Amino acid sequence: MPEVPDVRFLKVAEVAELMRVSKMTVYRLVHAGELPAVRFGRSYRVPESAVADALQRPIADVG
């Protein structure tokens, strides 16, 4: 039997809370491909490591 990696998945609401953005912003990031996610039924789950990586990325200077 293959070994399953130890990955913790977060709900969109949990990601939004950690990143301090709205759930809609998380959905936009997922659909744009900027935040990897797995679809379970009708909902998305985001790997905790992907959220940590996104928070470490530099923010684009807009304006």
Side-chain angles (χ1 to χ4, degrees):
M1 184 174 203
E3 190 172 323
V4 178
D6 187 25
V7 178
R8 181 165 183 250
F9 289 95
L10 302 173
K11 296 177 186 176
V12 169
E14 294 171 322
V15 174
E17 186 177 326
L18 284 172
M19 295 180 79
R20 296 179 186 227
V21 296
S22 70
K23 290 192 296 186
M24 184 54 72
T25 299
V26 176
Y27 283 117
R28 284 187 193 120
L29 291 170
V30 168
H31 289 292
E34 295 180 38
L35 191 62
V38 178
R39 190 166 180 157
F40 288 103
R42 293 181 59 185
S43 62
Y44 288 93
R45 297 292 188 270
V46 180
E48 190 175 39
S49 60
V51 176
D53 291 345
L55 292 173
Q56 295 298 322
R57 271 190 251 138
I59 299 171
D61 187 49
V62 180

